[in-house]
Amino acid sequence: MRLSFLEPLYRQSGPFASVYADTSRDSAVADPDAAVELRRRHLRDALTAEGADQDSLAAAAGAVGSDEDIPGQHGQAVFTAHGRLALLDELPVPPAHDRTHFGSLPHTMPLAVQHAPAIPYVAVHVHYGGRHSTCAAGTVRFEAEAGVWPLTRVTPGHRLYEEIPVSDWLNAAAVLGRELEGHGRHINAETVVVAGDVWARGILVRRLPALLRERVVTVEGAGESSPGRALLEHRLDNLFGGRMAEHDRALLGAFLAQRARDGAAGEGLSATVSALQRGQAKAVFLNNHPESPLRLWAGPEPRQLALTAQELRSYGVQDVHRERADAVLARALVGTRAELVVVPEQRLRLCDGVGVLLRYAEAPSNA
C-alpha cells in the first residue's frame, strides 16, 4: 500500500497537532452531539498539556466532529500546522481511544493502518422475490458498487442501480456484466462479492466476463445497506476481516523468501532504518503496535532518521530531534515512496514489529 495520500501533509512544515477521535453519532448516547463536544474539550486539554499553540488548538477543535453527515461507527483523523487545517480524513473504525500528539512530525501511522488492507473489490446485490422464470412478471433490482475496503465504510464508491423486467434479465445481465468489468478493471478488483436471490445472481455470474467470473465470491443474506455506508458492508466485514490484499501477500511472500536466503530483506528497527536512510526500501512490514515505546531521531528530511542523535550528526545533520518511531517511519515511507504492508501479528511476528524488503540486494563485499 502506497501512502501517496499523505504527500500533501508532508509538504507542509511543523510543528503538527495530530488528533484521532471517535465522532460516531448513532451510539446509545442520549445526546451524541454533546458527547462529541465533550471529546473535543478533552482533546483540546490534552493538546494544551503537550504544548500546542492556541491557533493549532482552535484549528483542531474546529475540525473534530465536522462529519455529521457520516452515519454509523467511525472516527476522524485531524492534522493541523501553524494554526491551519493540514489534513482531515475519516476513519472506517473509531479509534480504541481518543489520542493526540503535538510535535515536529505528524502522527500519521494510525491513519495509514486504517487504510489497510486496501482490498479493491466490486460488491453486487440482486433482489427478486417472484417465481424463478424469465416468463414471470416483476423486476430484478440490481445494485453494485466498486471500492477499496475498508475505506468504503465511510466513503462509498459510485453506486449502480437498475430495475430490470424479469423477462429481460438474461440479456440485461450480460450488459451489466460488461459494465461491472469496466469498474473492476479501473480499480484492479481482486474480488467480486455477489449476494441476493440465488436464481437471479446465478444468471448474472454466468454472464460475467471471464476476468470477473473467476473472482466471484457469493455470500448469503440480504444486501442491506445504510445510506452513506458501503453496499454489503457487514458481509464485506466478515469476508475481509483479517485478510491481506493480494498485492501485500505477494510482497510478504517475497520478504519471506529473501529472508530465508539471507538476501534482500531485513527484520527489526535497525535494518529498516538503514534501508530507508539509503532509499533502498521497497516495502516496510508492520505489526501494528499503536502504543509502541520505540523512538527514533530525525532530521528535516525524510531520509534523515537514525537510532541515535550521534549517528545523524555524523552525517552532517545538525537539526535533530527525538520522535515516535512510527511517526518517523511513516514520513520516510512517504518520502522514499516505499510501500507499507500491515501484517497481523498472528500471521508473522516481526522483531521490533517491523521488517523491510529491499529494492535490490547489495553486492557482497570482496574484502
Side-chain angles (χ1 to χ4, degrees):
M1 178 178 65
R2 295 197 183 279
L3 305 182
S4 54
F5 67 95
L6 292 175
E7 288 176 358
L9 179 60
Y10 287 108
R11 285 197 286 267
Q12 304 176 59
S13 60
F16 295 89
S18 306
V19 172
Y20 291 86
D22 181 349
T23 52
S24 308
R25 281 184 166 81
D26 64 342
S27 65
V29 178
D31 189 345
D33 287 332
V36 170
E37 176 58 31
L38 182 61
R39 290 179 182 276
R40 188 183 290 119
R41 291 202 300 269
H42 288 166
L43 290 164
R44 186 176 186 127
D45 290 345
L47 282 174
T48 299
E50 293 182 56
D53 59 277
Q54 290 300 314
D55 289 341
S56 294
L57 293 173
V64 171
S66 61
D67 54 355
E68 301 98 331
D69 57 329
I70 297 179
Q73 297 292 304
H74 65 279
Q76 274 186 310
V78 178
F79 304 90
T80 71
H82 303 287
R84 299 186 302 274
L85 183 64
L87 181 68
L88 175 63
D89 208 346
E90 300 300 327
L91 302 175
V93 178
H97 55 83
D98 295 348
R99 69 179 66 176
T100 62
H101 178 74
F102 186 74
S104 57
L105 295 179
H107 182 27
T108 57
M109 193 62 85
L111 173 59
V113 167
Q114 283 238 14
H115 277 240
I119 297 175
Y121 71 93
V122 175
V124 181
H125 179 250
V126 287
H127 174 78
Y128 176 57
R131 291 189 297 114
H132 291 164
S133 168
T134 53
C135 298
T139 59
V140 176
R141 294 203 306 269
F142 166 92
E143 280 188 280
E145 182 178 76
V148 178
W149 184 262
L151 290 184
T152 42
R153 282 185 184 272
V154 289
T155 55
H158 176 64
R159 188 75 62 88
L160 305 175
Y161 182 84
E162 298 283 349
E163 285 201 15
I164 311 295
V166 174
S167 58
D168 293 340
W169 181 235
L170 289 175
N171 292 328
V175 174
L176 292 169
R178 290 192 291 271
E179 187 171 358
L180 290 176
E181 181 183 32
H183 289 283
R185 285 185 182 275
H186 180 70
I187 62 170
N188 194 25
E190 65 179 66
T191 305
V192 180
V193 184
V194 184
D197 178 76
V198 174
W199 173 79
R201 80 188 186 200
I203 289 176
L204 175 67
V205 169
R206 287 193 296 272
R207 281 156 180 75
L208 287 176
L211 176 69
L212 294 188
R213 191 167 59 247
E214 63 189 21
R215 301 180 184 183
V216 165
V217 174
T218 56
V219 294
E220 302 304 321
E224 75 285 347
S225 176
S226 303
R229 305 288 292 195
L231 180 65
L232 303 180
E233 177 181 358
H234 299 301
R235 302 295 180 275
L236 298 176
D237 195 19
N238 292 334
L239 181 64
F240 295 145
R243 177 168 155 182
M244 297 174 65
E246 287 179 356
H247 177 70
D248 288 353
R249 292 201 302 270
L251 288 172
L252 181 59
F255 168 79
L256 294 173
Q258 291 288 358
R259 189 180 68 169
R261 293 196 294 266
D262 195 25
E267 193 173 344
L269 193 59
S270 178
T272 303
V273 166
S274 178
L276 289 167
Q277 286 173 340
R278 304 190 304 272
Q280 196 182 357
K282 179 176 182 178
V284 168
F285 303 87
L286 178 73
N287 294 146
N288 183 26
H289 294 151
E291 306 303 331
S292 170
L294 296 175
R295 295 292 185 269
L296 288 172
W297 289 86
E301 300 300 324
R303 289 171 58 174
Q304 293 173 347
L305 68 162
L307 299 179
T308 66
Q310 182 180 0
E311 181 184 358
L312 270 185
R313 292 194 176 103
S314 71
Y315 301 145
V317 182
Q318 297 305 315
D319 181 14
V320 302
H321 55 274
R322 198 165 182 251
E323 271 279 6
R324 294 181 58 109
D326 50 8
V328 179
L329 293 175
R331 183 186 66 162
L333 285 167
V334 175
T336 62
R337 298 190 174 181
E339 296 193 54
L340 173 68
V341 179
V342 180
V343 183
E345 195 163 16
Q346 61 270 26
R347 184 163 187 158
L348 176 66
R349 179 175 292 184
L350 297 160
C351 176
D352 297 330
V354 291
V356 62
L357 175 66
L358 306 184
R359 300 182 193 275
Y360 54 87
E362 293 182 322
S365 172
N366 295 322

Short mmCIF file of all heavy atoms in Angstrom, two decimals, residues 119 149 153 193 217 219-222 224 232-243:
data_model
loop_
_atom_site.label_atom_id
_atom_site.label_comp_id
_atom_site.label_asym_id
_atom_site.label_seq_id
_atom_site.Cartn_x
_atom_site.Cartn_y
_atom_site.Cartn_z
N ILE A 119 -8.21 -3.53 0.04
CA ILE A 119 -8.60 -4.56 -0.92
C ILE A 119 -9.56 -3.97 -1.94
O ILE A 119 -10.67 -3.54 -1.57
CB ILE A 119 -9.27 -5.74 -0.20
CG1 ILE A 119 -8.28 -6.41 0.76
CG2 ILE A 119 -9.79 -6.77 -1.20
CD1 ILE A 119 -8.88 -7.51 1.61
N TRP A 149 -11.67 -1.64 0.25
CA TRP A 149 -12.01 -1.92 1.64
C TRP A 149 -10.81 -1.71 2.55
O TRP A 149 -9.70 -2.08 2.18
CB TRP A 149 -12.48 -3.39 1.76
CG TRP A 149 -12.95 -3.76 3.12
CD1 TRP A 149 -12.24 -4.40 4.09
CD2 TRP A 149 -14.23 -3.47 3.67
NE1 TRP A 149 -13.00 -4.54 5.21
CE2 TRP A 149 -14.23 -3.98 4.98
CE3 TRP A 149 -15.38 -2.84 3.19
CZ2 TRP A 149 -15.33 -3.88 5.82
CZ3 TRP A 149 -16.47 -2.74 4.02
CH2 TRP A 149 -16.44 -3.25 5.32
N ARG A 153 -16.32 1.97 3.90
CA ARG A 153 -17.23 2.08 5.06
C ARG A 153 -17.73 3.52 5.21
O ARG A 153 -18.90 3.75 5.52
CB ARG A 153 -16.49 1.71 6.34
CG ARG A 153 -16.27 0.23 6.61
CD ARG A 153 -15.62 0.12 7.98
NE ARG A 153 -15.27 -1.22 8.36
CZ ARG A 153 -16.10 -2.07 8.98
NH1 ARG A 153 -17.33 -1.68 9.26
NH2 ARG A 153 -15.69 -3.28 9.32
N VAL A 193 -17.94 -9.67 -4.97
CA VAL A 193 -18.81 -10.23 -3.94
C VAL A 193 -20.25 -10.09 -4.41
O VAL A 193 -20.73 -8.97 -4.65
CB VAL A 193 -18.61 -9.52 -2.60
CG1 VAL A 193 -19.46 -10.18 -1.51
CG2 VAL A 193 -17.14 -9.51 -2.21
N VAL A 217 -17.15 -14.33 -5.34
CA VAL A 217 -17.45 -14.97 -4.08
C VAL A 217 -18.92 -14.67 -3.79
O VAL A 217 -19.32 -13.49 -3.75
CB VAL A 217 -16.58 -14.44 -2.92
CG1 VAL A 217 -17.02 -15.03 -1.59
CG2 VAL A 217 -15.11 -14.74 -3.18
N VAL A 219 -22.17 -14.64 -1.29
CA VAL A 219 -22.46 -14.60 0.14
C VAL A 219 -23.96 -14.64 0.33
O VAL A 219 -24.72 -14.17 -0.51
CB VAL A 219 -21.87 -13.34 0.80
CG1 VAL A 219 -20.36 -13.35 0.77
CG2 VAL A 219 -22.40 -12.07 0.14
N GLU A 220 -24.38 -15.23 1.43
CA GLU A 220 -25.80 -15.37 1.70
C GLU A 220 -26.30 -14.17 2.50
O GLU A 220 -25.54 -13.41 3.08
CB GLU A 220 -26.06 -16.66 2.47
CG GLU A 220 -25.60 -17.92 1.75
CD GLU A 220 -26.20 -18.05 0.36
OE1 GLU A 220 -27.40 -17.71 0.20
OE2 GLU A 220 -25.49 -18.49 -0.56
N GLY A 221 -27.62 -14.03 2.51
CA GLY A 221 -28.23 -12.98 3.30
C GLY A 221 -28.65 -11.81 2.46
O GLY A 221 -28.33 -11.70 1.27
N ALA A 222 -29.39 -10.92 3.09
CA ALA A 222 -29.89 -9.74 2.39
C ALA A 222 -28.77 -8.75 2.14
O ALA A 222 -27.74 -8.76 2.81
CB ALA A 222 -30.99 -9.07 3.24
N GLU A 224 -28.54 -5.58 2.78
CA GLU A 224 -28.88 -4.34 3.46
C GLU A 224 -27.73 -3.35 3.35
O GLU A 224 -26.56 -3.71 3.38
CB GLU A 224 -29.22 -4.62 4.93
CG GLU A 224 -28.05 -4.91 5.84
CD GLU A 224 -27.46 -6.30 5.67
OE1 GLU A 224 -28.11 -7.14 5.01
OE2 GLU A 224 -26.37 -6.53 6.20
N LEU A 232 -23.35 -3.92 1.11
CA LEU A 232 -22.96 -5.21 1.71
C LEU A 232 -21.90 -5.04 2.79
O LEU A 232 -21.05 -5.92 3.00
CB LEU A 232 -22.44 -6.18 0.64
CG LEU A 232 -23.37 -6.51 -0.53
CD1 LEU A 232 -22.67 -7.48 -1.48
CD2 LEU A 232 -24.68 -7.10 -0.05
N GLU A 233 -21.96 -3.95 3.52
CA GLU A 233 -20.90 -3.64 4.49
C GLU A 233 -20.63 -4.78 5.46
O GLU A 233 -19.48 -5.17 5.68
CB GLU A 233 -21.27 -2.38 5.28
CG GLU A 233 -20.24 -2.03 6.35
CD GLU A 233 -20.62 -0.80 7.16
OE1 GLU A 233 -21.67 -0.19 6.86
OE2 GLU A 233 -19.87 -0.46 8.07
N HIS A 234 -21.68 -5.34 6.06
CA HIS A 234 -21.46 -6.39 7.06
C HIS A 234 -20.93 -7.67 6.43
O HIS A 234 -20.12 -8.39 7.03
CB HIS A 234 -22.76 -6.65 7.83
CG HIS A 234 -23.27 -5.45 8.56
ND1 HIS A 234 -22.53 -4.80 9.52
CD2 HIS A 234 -24.44 -4.75 8.44
CE1 HIS A 234 -23.21 -3.77 9.99
NE2 HIS A 234 -24.37 -3.71 9.35
N ARG A 235 -21.38 -7.98 5.21
CA ARG A 235 -20.86 -9.17 4.52
C ARG A 235 -19.39 -8.97 4.18
O ARG A 235 -18.58 -9.89 4.30
CB ARG A 235 -21.66 -9.43 3.24
CG ARG A 235 -23.16 -9.63 3.45
CD ARG A 235 -23.43 -10.89 4.25
NE ARG A 235 -24.85 -11.10 4.46
CZ ARG A 235 -25.56 -10.57 5.44
NH1 ARG A 235 -24.97 -9.77 6.31
NH2 ARG A 235 -26.84 -10.83 5.58
N LEU A 236 -19.03 -7.76 3.76
CA LEU A 236 -17.63 -7.48 3.43
C LEU A 236 -16.75 -7.55 4.67
O LEU A 236 -15.62 -8.04 4.63
CB LEU A 236 -17.51 -6.10 2.77
CG LEU A 236 -18.23 -5.91 1.45
CD1 LEU A 236 -18.09 -4.46 0.97
CD2 LEU A 236 -17.69 -6.85 0.38
N ASP A 237 -17.28 -7.06 5.79
CA ASP A 237 -16.53 -7.11 7.04
C ASP A 237 -16.20 -8.55 7.42
O ASP A 237 -15.08 -8.88 7.80
CB ASP A 237 -17.34 -6.44 8.14
CG ASP A 237 -16.51 -6.12 9.37
OD1 ASP A 237 -15.27 -6.09 9.26
OD2 ASP A 237 -17.10 -5.92 10.44
N ASN A 238 -17.18 -9.43 7.28
CA ASN A 238 -16.96 -10.85 7.59
C ASN A 238 -15.99 -11.49 6.60
O ASN A 238 -15.15 -12.32 6.98
CB ASN A 238 -18.29 -11.61 7.56
CG ASN A 238 -19.21 -11.22 8.69
OD1 ASN A 238 -18.76 -10.77 9.74
ND2 ASN A 238 -20.51 -11.34 8.47
N LEU A 239 -16.08 -11.10 5.34
CA LEU A 239 -15.26 -11.71 4.30
C LEU A 239 -13.81 -11.25 4.37
O LEU A 239 -12.87 -12.05 4.22
CB LEU A 239 -15.85 -11.38 2.92
CG LEU A 239 -15.14 -11.96 1.71
CD1 LEU A 239 -15.21 -13.49 1.71
CD2 LEU A 239 -15.76 -11.41 0.42
N PHE A 240 -13.62 -9.96 4.59
CA PHE A 240 -12.26 -9.39 4.51
C PHE A 240 -11.57 -9.28 5.86
O PHE A 240 -10.39 -8.91 5.93
CB PHE A 240 -12.31 -8.00 3.87
CG PHE A 240 -12.74 -8.00 2.43
CD1 PHE A 240 -13.50 -6.96 1.92
CD2 PHE A 240 -12.39 -9.04 1.57
CE1 PHE A 240 -13.89 -6.96 0.59
CE2 PHE A 240 -12.79 -9.04 0.24
CZ PHE A 240 -13.54 -7.99 -0.25
N GLY A 241 -12.27 -9.58 6.95
CA GLY A 241 -11.66 -9.46 8.28
C GLY A 241 -10.41 -10.33 8.42
O GLY A 241 -10.46 -11.53 8.17
N GLY A 242 -9.30 -9.71 8.80
CA GLY A 242 -8.05 -10.44 8.98
C GLY A 242 -7.33 -10.81 7.70
O GLY A 242 -6.29 -11.48 7.73
N ARG A 243 -7.85 -10.38 6.56
CA ARG A 243 -7.27 -10.75 5.26
C ARG A 243 -6.32 -9.65 4.77
O ARG A 243 -6.51 -8.47 5.08
CB ARG A 243 -8.41 -10.95 4.26
CG ARG A 243 -7.99 -11.27 2.84
CD ARG A 243 -9.21 -11.75 2.07
NE ARG A 243 -9.09 -11.53 0.65
CZ ARG A 243 -10.05 -11.82 -0.23
NH1 ARG A 243 -11.19 -12.34 0.19
NH2 ARG A 243 -9.89 -11.60 -1.51
#
